[in-house]
Amino acid sequence: MKTSGWGRYPVIDSEVVRYNSDDSLFENIDGRNPVIPYGFGRSYGDSALSDTILKMRPAKRMLHFDPENGLLTCEAGVLLSEILETFLPRGWFLKVTPGTKYITIGGAIASDVHGKNHHQYGAFSEYVSEFSLMMPNGSIKACSRTKNKDLFYATCGGMGLTGIILKATISLQSVQSNTIVQQTIKTACLKEIFQAFEEYYNEPYSVAWIDCTATGSSLGRGLLNVGHFKEDHKFEYKAPGKLNMPLKLPGFLLNKWSIKLFNQLYYQKNLKSENRSETTVDSFFYPLDILKNWNRLYGEEGPLQYQFVLPKKTSFDGIKEVLNYLQKKNMYSSLGVLKLFGKENKNLLSFPMEGYTLALDFKVDDKIFQILDDLDKIISGLGGRIYLAKDARMSVEIFNTGYSKAKEFRSIRDQYGMNKIFNSLQSNRLNL
Amino acid sequence: MNDRWLLILGANSDIAVGTAHQFASNNWNLMLASRNLSNLNKMASDIKIKHNVRVKTFEFDAAAFDNHKTFYQKLTYKPNGVVLAFGYLGDQETAQNDFEEAKKSLDVNYNGAVSILEIVADDFTERGEGFIAGISSVAGERGRQENYIYGSAKAGFTAYLSGLRQRLFKKNIHVLTIKPGFVKTKMTFGRDLPNILTASPEQVGKAIYKGVIKQKNVIYVYPVWRLIMLVIRLIPEPIFKRLDL
């Protein structure tokens, strides 16, 4: 079956094995190499692509909920959206959520995803207390920060390369509403947006959109969006319907001029320098989920996402350098999303580190790969790293420099024989 | 507190899971019966957490006819409705060469169904309430070389339900026959099914719930199946036997 990540690049032919039960799982994958667990297919690049992909989505049952402390145990194929539908009406919300609710719990752990509250809460795995992992020999191990902790720290952020996550226990947070009070702060340049992040540090949720087409003294201008849950005890949660993006748009619609125009208008739409409003959980956290298949906006080749993080002390100059470089190359990202991360965790391959992260969207064309290779070098030189869940192309040298615990990860893979079975295009490329 | 109980026989099938969620979201409590209890208990937890209803699980083997009476007597509650979802597709070629395989198909798809539903029918008649929804198959509408052993058992089951419907109608008990057509399940995984004719287990569950509420007699999940099967039934035998259909 033809398979690709959410970014539609690359496309490969894979055999698909479907999860049926814990008992039959090992039998179904035994003797196959390479095989990689696959959740809902929302990672952009090649991290869930392999000759055999194991679809874990049928493992989607919730097994236990403790309303005293908000602890939920569920199978790995449960979607974040299913957790919201079940628990938001009862006043519970995820502690950490990425910008889409259509990812599985297993995928969230494997990518150790982050959200708009990373500066205060950290990454997804901080709220995972335990999970069961099927090892390369079919045995199942319970992993936590005290039990099999080497497996715990390797698996969180480990891109599915350490085994198959079968079920996990996560903690939910109690919220007092399903309405978000949000504030938008308009900034005139990169310096101002950095200052705004610091100024609004106490807001639990924050993320900024930046206009990648602005030049000169406006370079890096944008809108910082911050928010928190209201406390009105109203929970009439209903997930919004989805609009389908029925066809792929022809790629030429998205060009330098349309991107400039869109960014101009988006920046100008906020006239005041500060804007307060109330909004729903869905439009605050998951604006793109409303448009099903939004990746088709980018034409046949799909959106190439590029996300990097820089240490705090090199962030400002580094991001400026990246934006300037892109402009020099006449390459415009249609979307630039900037976020301040808090402290990094102990996982071997987790992406976040304390500093600023920038996510960029590009249409695939013949120039883009060379340009991204150049950006890799800039980022690597400044002590930063590239996000594995969005990567389909970085080199092993860039990876090794950015992820300082990669060696330890490789030796765990070797020790347990994980590299004899659990391999993806990404792990082959990065020699993991 | 709601006290309506639905009994699902063969509750581990994907269609049964879709049906269970549909009824539970409409405040039905569930008794789930199947051979694999460990899987069933996971499903029970999931339904309890998501829908806040009561769920019980029971071990049940469609082909163990001798145990059916005791099974029914031991149920914690008297069901207000029964969905029969068990079935066995098996492999046609194996069944042609090995009667044990053919018998398994007949036992699960037909004999087991008759055995348990007669017990249910007696109880419902006595209590003067209840409905029975049986999941049959479009494969039962005309025998085809590809799956006629399974198909003939389902044909028998369809005829059985039709007779049961006539008998129980006089007692105000409703009997629904469901012919799902192609469904995306673990039973059909890996088969190349045409998308526009293939329903999801959730859609089948919704169709069954609607069929029960509206007291339908026979439903196809996608109405186009009624037409397709009509055409297949109308092909004259001299022509039909020459087709690869």
Side-chain angles (χ1 to χ4, degrees), chain B residues 87-202:
Chain B
Y88 178 68
L89 183 57
D91 180 60
Q92 169 69 21
E93 219 170 299
T94 319
Q96 283 164 212
N97 301 316
D98 175 4
F99 181 65
E100 278 307 305
E101 174 76 1
K103 187 169 175 295
K104 191 173 169 189
S105 189
L106 301 175
D107 279 351
V108 175
N109 293 311
Y110 185 73
N111 294 333
V114 173
S115 161
I116 184 69
L117 286 188
E118 281 305 305
I119 297 167
V120 173
D122 282 349
D123 177 47
F124 281 5
T125 309
E126 201 173 300
R127 286 159 49 212
E129 67 149 337
F131 67 83
I132 293 170
I135 298 171
S136 192
S137 171
V138 293
E141 298 203 22
R142 190 162 197 180
R144 295 183 302 120
Q145 56 191 0
E146 186 190 290
N147 62 5
Y148 64 86
I149 294 185
Y150 170 78
S152 61
K154 284 296 193 185
F157 184 44
T158 301
Y160 169 79
L161 287 172
S162 151
L164 189 67
R165 172 160 41 248
Q166 200 180 28
R167 172 187 149 201
L168 295 182
F169 174 72
K170 281 105 192 168
K171 309 283 174 196
N172 234 346
I173 291 154
H174 169 224
V175 176
L176 168 69
T177 306
I178 302 111
K179 297 177 183 170
F182 295 147
V183 187
K184 225 179 179 165
T185 64
K186 51 181 180 268
M187 191 160 101
T188 59
F189 178 70
R191 286 180 57 192
D192 196 17
L193 301 177
N195 261 334
I196 51 162
L197 292 180
T198 307
S200 66
E202 292 75 33

Side-chain angles (χ1 to χ4, degrees), chain A residues 359-389:
Chain A
L360 302 165
D361 263 9
F362 298 100
K363 198 173 77 177
V364 175
D365 65 16
D366 35 330
K367 288 194 303 183
I368 187 71
F369 291 99
Q370 182 56 49
I371 288 173
L372 295 181
D373 285 347
D374 294 346
L375 291 187
D376 283 354
K377 283 187 201 118
I378 299 176
I379 288 146
S380 198
L382 293 168
R385 61 168 77 121
I386 320 288
Y387 192 13
L388 289 171

Side-chain angles (χ1 to χ4, degrees), chain A residues 231-347:
Chain A
E231 300 197 354
D232 61 0
H233 300 272
K234 286 190 184 136
F235 293 103
E236 311 85 20
Y237 178 67
K238 198 169 176 304
K242 268 186 276 180
L243 303 166
N244 206 348
M245 178 73 201
L247 339 143
K248 289 166 215 159
L249 285 183
F252 64 81
L253 284 181
L254 208 69
N255 56 39
K256 168 169 109 176
W257 307 110
S258 65
I259 292 171
K260 269 195 175 172
L261 184 69
F262 166 78
N263 278 273
Q264 280 283 348
L265 290 173
Y266 194 80
Y267 182 74
Q268 301 301 351
K269 85 174 177 141
N270 283 67
L271 293 173
K272 286 182 284 182
S273 65
E274 266 194 47
N275 215 330
R276 265 177 92 87
S277 63
E278 288 185 2
T279 185
T280 63
V281 162
D282 277 283
S283 74
F284 186 76
F285 291 104
Y286 316 111
L288 282 173
D289 282 346
I290 307 250
L291 195 63
K292 192 177 160 189
N293 304 332
W294 65 267
N295 53 349
R296 292 182 178 176
L297 280 172
Y298 285 78
E300 193 58 54
E301 252 80 48
L304 198 138
Q305 273 252 351
Y306 184 77
Q307 184 169 2
F308 64 86
V309 58
L310 290 169
K312 212 164 180 181
K313 62 177 189 305
T314 63
S315 284
F316 182 73
D317 292 334
I319 285 167
K320 217 168 169 175
E321 193 178 339
V322 167
L323 292 176
N324 277 325
Y325 179 81
L326 285 172
Q327 284 174 5
K328 200 174 81 194
K329 293 283 172 183
N330 231 340
M331 196 65 173
Y332 293 95
S333 163
S334 45
L335 202 68
V337 176
L338 184 69
K339 165 86 194 108
L340 173 59
F341 279 157
K343 293 248 178 307
E344 112 174 50
N345 59 31
K346 285 161 76 176
N347 304 331

